[in-house]
Amino acid sequence: FVFFVRIWRAPRSTLFPYTRVFPIYTRFAEIGRVCVINYGEFAGKLCTIVDIIDGNRALIDGPVALTGVHRQPMLFRRLSFTDLTIKIARGARAKKITKEWKAAGIEEKFAASGWGKKIAKRAAKAEMTDFGRFKTMVSKKQIMARVRSRISK
C-alpha cells in the first residue's frame, strides 16, 4: 500500500511536478512480526506471528517459555503490531521461535521502547499500595509548591 503525493517545485523557470512516495503503513502482518495482544486472556503480553490463516486471523506463538502465550489462532483486531521482527520460517516450531527470540533480545528491546516503558509504568501504578499513592500525592504537591514559589518571584 503506497500513498502518492504530488509536490510542485520550480526547477528553473517552469513548474515541473515531482512525485514522492510516502508509505502509509510500516508495520505489516508478516511471519515473524512481534505483536502485543490487546484483548482477552493474554492481554498485554508479547507474541509472534507464525502463520497467516486468512485476512482476519493469524497463528501466533509466545513462545510459552518466555511470554506464557501458547500457540493459537488470533484475530488481527486483537493484536497490535510492534516494530520488532524475528527471522523465522512459516509454521516454525516453538524451539526455533524461542531461540530466535532470545538471539534478537526482543523482550529487552521492547522494554526499552516507549511502548514498553508505558506498559511497565502502568503496571507499577496498578500494583501501588495506598501508602505508595499517598507518597506520590505528597511529592507532587511539594513539586507544585516549589514551581509556584519560583513563578511568583
Side-chain angles (χ1 to χ4, degrees):
F1 302 97
V2 179
F3 182 70
F4 293 95
V5 176
R6 190 168 277 236
I7 299 173
W8 294 90
R9 293 185 186 170
R12 289 199 183 173
S13 60
T14 60
L15 289 175
F16 182 81
Y18 288 94
T19 305
R20 284 194 181 168
V21 178
F22 296 103
I24 297 175
Y25 303 108
T26 55
R27 299 173 181 166
F28 297 103
E30 59 184 328
I31 294 167
R33 173 70 62 187
V34 177
C35 306
V36 177
I37 301 172
N38 56 30
Y39 182 81
E41 180 184 354
F42 301 107
K45 294 190 176 182
L46 293 173
C47 67
T48 308
I49 295 178
V50 178
D51 194 4
I52 295 175
I53 299 170
D54 58 25
N56 294 319
R57 296 179 302 154
L59 184 65
I60 61 157
D61 195 352
V64 180
L66 302 175
T67 64
V69 179
H70 58 275
R71 189 172 289 222
Q72 60 187 307
M74 188 159 290
L75 294 168
F76 284 124
R77 66 177 178 232
R78 291 187 177 197
L79 298 174
S80 295
F81 301 148
T82 66
D83 291 330
L84 306 172
T85 57
I86 58 173
K87 292 185 188 276
I88 56 170
R90 179 174 173 249
R93 295 179 184 230
K95 190 174 180 181
K96 175 70 173 169
I97 296 169
T98 306
K99 180 181 170 188
E100 292 295 324
W101 188 282
K102 286 180 180 176
I106 296 296
E107 289 182 347
E108 295 80 21
K109 286 180 184 176
F110 184 75
S113 70
W115 194 351
K117 288 176 185 175
K118 184 177 179 181
I119 289 173
K121 188 176 177 182
R122 191 178 298 151
K125 191 172 182 180
E127 292 178 9
M128 202 181 280
T129 62
D130 187 41
F131 184 61
R133 286 188 290 274
F134 173 75
K135 287 194 298 187
T136 304
M137 179 197 69
V138 169
S139 67
K140 284 182 180 179
K141 282 185 175 184
Q142 290 172 347
I143 290 168
M144 287 309 298
R146 282 190 231 131
V147 169
R148 281 192 204 101
S149 68
R150 288 194 179 172
I151 290 174
S152 64
K153 288 182 181 179

